Amino acid sequence: MMAAEAGSEEGGPVTAGAGGGGAAAGGGRGHRLAICSNKPQNLCEKVLAESGLAPLFEAVVGGAPGLRPKPAPDLLDRALEALSVAPADCLYVGDSELDHAAATARLVPYLHVTYGYGEEGWDAPGLLRFDSFAAVVGRVLRWEAGPVRRAAA
């Protein structure tokens, strides 16, 4: 699973290259994609529809009553449930300490992109960091289910 933030004029930009990268990581490669966002569910769906990215994602989980926002793992739990997958069989691509905390709470391997909503310069032990969307997509394409190796990307 790849989890990422969705954005819009109202909530932030959609990452440049997301469509091509999502298509490369998903469909043809067999990776199933989902989004976990603290943004409201309807905003996530609207942005994905307007950007043409909606067909790439099997599950979209945004903020909703009864779901605690990240760093609580509720959104991630809902995405895992929607995909019917175990945490060890997923990758979580995130851009903030909140994403890292949610992934860590469920033992989901985490890949960190250095652009987006996170605090600049934030780091954690063993963190795999990526400075471009292309680099993280390349790492996802090389991934096989099971523990993420802590080797350099």
Side-chain angles (χ1 to χ4, degrees), residues 4-85:
E5 288 287 332
S8 73
E9 292 294 316
E10 300 151 278
V14 173
T15 300
R29 296 294 200 142
H31 297 294
R32 300 163 64 207
L33 306 180
I35 287 184
C36 297
S37 178
N38 280 344
K39 291 178 183 64
Q41 179 75 31
N42 63 337
L43 179 58
C44 294
E45 292 169 356
K46 177 181 184 246
V47 169
L48 290 171
E50 289 176 355
S51 65
L53 298 174
L56 299 175
F57 296 92
E58 209 171 306
V60 177
V61 181
L67 293 177
R68 296 174 299 163
K70 297 177 284 187
D74 297 25
L75 300 167
L76 177 55
D77 289 342
R78 180 73 55 92
L80 292 169
E81 180 181 316
L83 295 175
S84 299
V85 295

Side-chain angles (χ1 to χ4, degrees), residues 76-153:
L76 177 55
D77 289 342
R78 180 73 55 92
L80 292 169
E81 180 181 316
L83 295 175
S84 299
V85 295
D89 294 330
C90 301
L91 287 175
Y92 191 122
V93 177
D95 64 1
S96 74
E97 311 87 298
L98 302 177
D99 292 319
H100 183 259
T104 300
R106 292 298 179 255
L107 303 177
V108 173
Y110 179 78
L111 305 178
H112 185 76
V113 295
T114 58
Y115 49 88
Y117 292 96
E119 183 179 324
E120 190 173 334
W122 175 80
D123 201 3
L127 192 66
L128 290 176
R129 301 170 58 87
F130 299 86
D131 294 328
S132 73
F133 192 72
V136 77
V137 169
R139 180 64 177 93
V140 169
L141 293 176
R142 292 190 313 271
W143 177 72
E144 294 182 22
V148 172
R149 291 173 180 70
R150 297 293 178 187

